[in-house]
């Protein structure tokens, strides 16, 4: 009869993490990506991209329960990063004011939304006449379409990928909360999953939704995508 050996009681750290548990393991390089809150109504009618447009004041009031839920969900301590655009900074402030407490906001230029170049500010109904390629079914332009004086989603994915790798080294084994943009979150998913930008654009990333990524020794891991706070 073959001898049955006892299984080891302590698994290697990578396996232990892979098995999952009710709580996220501490000491992991973890990104908490939040898409900014809803922008004001007039801005939503056009291709605002990397334009600096304000948040919708009514939504800031109506969605206070979501800010409170985010404040409870997010880790402490953590490094807070925002894009250069005021809509991410105001969203971060609203979460902190809802119960998280004050924390320094560091502006990270590479967290900015896709630069749509000379197409920024165009009403959506006017965009088709300028396109060289078919639009993506879930994005205004295809992943390889590069607006004049702007950048393609391929470019955004490369920019965000380099940023994530740099931040993962800079803040190793720490939590990073980044309030950013829908295109950037999708680009981060493309980097973590090693998928094409065109595929990553199929992810739904709603306003105030949380996406959690981890950088482990064995690679990137996606914990959650488009998690709506308080829902």
């Amino acid at each position: 009869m073959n001898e049955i050996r006892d299984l080891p009681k302590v698994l290697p750290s990578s396996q232990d993490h892979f098995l999952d548990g009710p709580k996220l393991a501490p000491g992991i390089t973890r990104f908490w990506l939040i898409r900014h809150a809803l922008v004001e109504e007039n801005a939503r009618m056009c291709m605002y991209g990397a334009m600096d447009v304000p948040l919708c004041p009514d939504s800031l009031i109506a969605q206070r329960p979501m800010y409170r839920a985010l404040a409870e969900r997010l880790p402490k301590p953590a490094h807070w990063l925002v894009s250069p655009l005021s809509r991410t900074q105001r969203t971060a402030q609203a979460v902190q004011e809802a119960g998280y407490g004050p924390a320094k906001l560091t502006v990270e230029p590479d967290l900015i939304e896709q630069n749509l170049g000379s197409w920024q500010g165009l009403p959506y109904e006017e965009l088709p006449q300028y396109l060289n390629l078919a639009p993506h079914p879930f994005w205004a332009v295809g992943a390889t379409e590069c607006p004049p004086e702007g950048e393609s989603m391929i470019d955004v994915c490369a920019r965000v990928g380099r940023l994530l790798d740099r931040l993962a080294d800079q803040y190793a084994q720490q939590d990073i909360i980044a309030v950013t943009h829908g295109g950037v979150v999708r680009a981060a998913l493309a980097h973590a999953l090693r998928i094409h930008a065109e595929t990553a654009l199929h992810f739904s990333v709603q306003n105030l939704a949380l996406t959690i990524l981890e950088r482990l020794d064995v690679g990137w891991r996606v914990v959650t995508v488009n998690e709506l706070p308080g829902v």
Side-chain angles (χ1 to χ4, degrees):
M1 180 181 295
N2 293 332
E3 180 183 0
I4 300 176
R5 298 179 179 179
D6 292 335
L7 293 174
K9 294 182 180 180
V10 180
L11 295 171
S13 59
S14 61
Q15 281 187 292
D16 189 41
H17 191 65
F18 173 76
L19 292 177
D20 298 321
K23 295 182 179 180
L24 295 178
I28 300 296
T29 308
R30 186 173 291 120
F31 290 84
W32 305 71
L33 306 176
I34 303 167
R35 187 186 174 192
H36 63 79
L38 189 70
V39 301
E40 61 95 16
E41 186 175 3
N42 289 333
R44 298 198 300 270
M45 298 297 103
C46 70
M47 301 272 292
Y48 56 88
M51 293 170 59
D52 200 3
V53 298
L55 295 180
C56 173
D58 293 337
S59 291
L60 275 171
I61 297 172
Q63 294 181 328
R64 280 176 180 168
M66 297 181 74
Y67 291 105
R68 287 195 294 269
L70 270 174
E72 294 175 359
R73 178 82 166 96
L74 296 174
K76 292 182 181 180
H79 301 278
W80 281 74
L81 307 179
V82 292
S83 87
L85 301 181
S86 62
R87 59 186 181 268
T88 65
Q89 298 167 31
R90 183 66 190 96
T91 300
Q93 291 166 358
V95 174
Q96 293 181 5
E97 292 166 359
Y100 186 92
K104 178 185 176 183
L105 300 180
T106 300
V107 175
E108 174 51 65
D110 284 336
L111 284 175
I112 200 167
E113 182 59 285
Q114 180 182 9
N115 183 350
L116 297 172
S118 61
W119 295 350
Q120 289 187 157
L122 274 178
Y124 282 107
E125 62 266 21
E126 295 182 16
L127 178 64
Q129 63 184 302
Y130 296 98
L131 295 178
N132 299 303
L133 303 170
H136 191 278
F138 303 113
W139 198 248
V141 296
T144 57
E145 179 89 67
C146 188
E149 303 175 21
E151 60 182 344
S152 69
M153 274 302 298
I154 297 289
D155 297 327
V156 176
C157 287
R159 160 166 61 84
V160 173
R162 291 191 297 269
L163 173 66
L164 290 180
D165 287 339
R166 174 172 65 80
L167 292 175
D169 291 337
Q170 181 179 350
Y171 299 117
Q173 299 180 328
Q174 300 174 67
D175 286 295
I176 306 102
I177 299 170
V179 185
T180 183
H181 305 269
V184 172
V185 175
R186 292 172 174 90
L189 288 165
H191 181 68
L193 295 172
R194 300 180 183 179
I195 58 177
H196 194 276
E198 192 82 13
T199 303
L201 289 174
H202 284 267
F203 280 104
S204 177
V205 180
Q206 296 169 265
N207 295 105
L208 295 180
L210 176 65
T211 294
I212 304 175
L213 306 179
E214 296 175 338
R215 211 278 293 272
L216 308 171
D217 291 340
V218 293
W220 287 90
R221 180 174 187 245
V222 178
V223 178
T224 185
V225 178
N226 200 42
E227 176 187 310
L228 292 173
V231 175

